[in-house]
């Protein structure tokens, strides 16, 4: 039988532990926070991450350091985020590529997009422009499809990695329009754009932050947008859905922490994210580079990941795409 004094001591120790934990959480953060970005600089994830990192650094009183970890269609960075210590000092800028399309295509990943993360909140939507090498004889989507169908070996269609929304948007377009292409994956939007400008690839679905400036400079041509409808910043660019009803390919980014991260930490960062996307200057900063600010609760972001994973799994199955055929 346990002595009464031992039970009292145990109860006191447990209470002290709870108080210490609460005090530690109240002091969060007490040191810099790492934000993993699963792509290299030069795409649309990097400016998104740096905008939110700057806001959070000021709001939380600790530096939020961006750590670019590209590769394997964003799955390397997501895997690192999933396996990090769940103490609130490592967060991830998760993408639809790493949380929905990649897992929908690949059978083996080093993480589970639903079970291994504590979603914090949705951050932005990034509409994809369909851009082509400017010397391609294609002024619009109809011309592009006709040109692609006329190439016996298929055009070179670039992407930022196998299983990314950029890649699977191309696969969906190929199936719906009935042409062939050779998939050429890169480690990010920056390297893909370099080869597209040089003519080593002919087409790419890319975020406006890194394709838009090249279009305006005349180095690339925008012939359509994957968003379900035209966007305000590019009203002259038609949505693919205008020609191919039902087509939709828009990526999204949000912040996540490893599963097991304290709810108080998740809720605190979510609250600051909501303040950011309600701030007019922060909104202008994102919209100026082609991003659409968004927000959600942690639970809503969790449900969105599950819904998008299911949607892209169905698209892949209906299109007959496999990880092997997509290489």
């Amino acid at each position: 039988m346990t002595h009464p004094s031992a039970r009292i001591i145990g109860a006191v120790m447990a209470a002290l532990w709870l108080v210490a934990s609460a005090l530690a959480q109240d002091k969060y953060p007490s040191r810099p926070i790492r934000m993993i970005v699963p792509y290299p600089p030069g795409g649309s994830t990097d400016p998104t991450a740096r905008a939110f990192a700057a806001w959070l650094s000021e709001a939380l009183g600790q530096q939020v350091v961006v750590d670019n970890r590209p590769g394997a269609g964003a799955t390397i960075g997501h895997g690192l985020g999933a396996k990090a210590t769940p103490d609130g000092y490592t967060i991830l800028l998760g993408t639809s590529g790493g949380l929905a399309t990649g897992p929908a295509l690949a059978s083996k990943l080093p993480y589970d997009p639903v079970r291994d993360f504590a979603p914090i909140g949705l951050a932005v939507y990034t509409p994809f422009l369909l851009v082509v090498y400017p010397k391609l004889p294609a002024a619009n989507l109809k011309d592009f499809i006709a040109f692609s169908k006329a190439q016996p070996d298929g055009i070179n269609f670039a992407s930022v990695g196998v299983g990314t929304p950029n890649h699977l948007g191309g696969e969906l377009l190929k199936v719906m329009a009935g042409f062939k292409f050779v998939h050429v994956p890169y480690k990010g939007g920056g390297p893909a754009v370099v080869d597209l400008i040089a003519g080593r690839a002919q087409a790419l679905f890319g975020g406006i932050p890194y394709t838009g400036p090249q279009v305006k400079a005349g180095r690339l041509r925008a012939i359509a947008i994957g968003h379900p409808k035209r966007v305000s910043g590019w009203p002259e660019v038609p949505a693919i859905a205008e020609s191919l009803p039902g087509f939709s390919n828009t990526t999204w980014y949000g912040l996540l922490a490893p599963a097991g991260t304290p709810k108080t930490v998740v809720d605190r960062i979510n609250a600051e994210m909501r303040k950011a996307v309600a701030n007019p200057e922060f909104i202008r900063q994102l919209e100026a580079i082609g991003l659409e600010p968004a927000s959600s609760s942690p639970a809503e972001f969790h449900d969105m990941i599950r819904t998008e994973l299911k949607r892209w799994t169905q698209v892949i199955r209906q299109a007959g795409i496999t990880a092997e055929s997509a290489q």
Side-chain angles (χ1 to χ4, degrees), residues 99-211:
L99 298 168
T101 58
L105 180 64
S107 57
K108 294 181 181 180
L109 289 176
Y111 61 91
D112 184 287
V114 176
R115 292 196 300 267
D116 290 346
F117 294 103
I120 298 173
L122 180 64
V124 297
Y125 287 103
T126 305
F128 283 138
L129 287 176
L130 176 58
V131 292
V132 299
Y133 177 55
K135 294 183 180 179
L136 209 69
N140 52 50
L141 183 64
K142 182 180 178 181
D143 290 347
F144 173 73
I145 293 172
F147 174 81
S148 300
K149 286 182 175 180
Q151 309 309 305
D153 298 323
I155 64 167
N156 287 341
F157 207 110
S159 85
V160 301
V162 174
T164 60
N166 317 60
H167 166 216
L168 293 183
E171 295 282 356
L172 182 60
L173 179 62
K174 177 177 73 173
V175 171
M176 293 182 72
F179 64 88
K180 296 191 301 182
F181 66 67
V182 176
H183 177 224
V184 185
Y186 294 82
K187 287 187 176 181
V193 164
V194 168
D195 269 15
L196 191 60
I197 292 172
R200 289 185 286 270
Q202 284 77 53
L204 167 73
F205 270 115
I208 293 173
Y210 60 93
T211 58

Side-chain angles (χ1 to χ4, degrees), residues 207-283:
I208 293 173
Y210 60 93
T211 58
Q214 305 300 334
V215 171
K216 290 180 178 178
R219 290 187 284 267
L220 294 177
R221 180 186 301 138
I223 58 172
I225 196 163
H227 208 52
K229 59 182 181 180
R230 300 189 189 206
V231 298
S232 58
W234 295 75
E236 73 284 2
V237 180
I240 292 175
E242 294 175 28
S243 301
L244 299 172
F247 186 95
S248 176
N249 184 38
T250 291
T251 194
W252 42 263
Y253 311 143
L255 293 183
L256 305 96
T261 298
K263 185 176 183 298
T264 52
V265 170
V266 170
D267 289 344
R268 176 138 187 228
I269 298 175
N270 177 267
E272 294 301 337
M273 292 179 68
R274 286 175 177 268
K275 290 177 186 177
V277 298
N279 179 277
E281 181 56 37
F282 192 83
I283 291 171

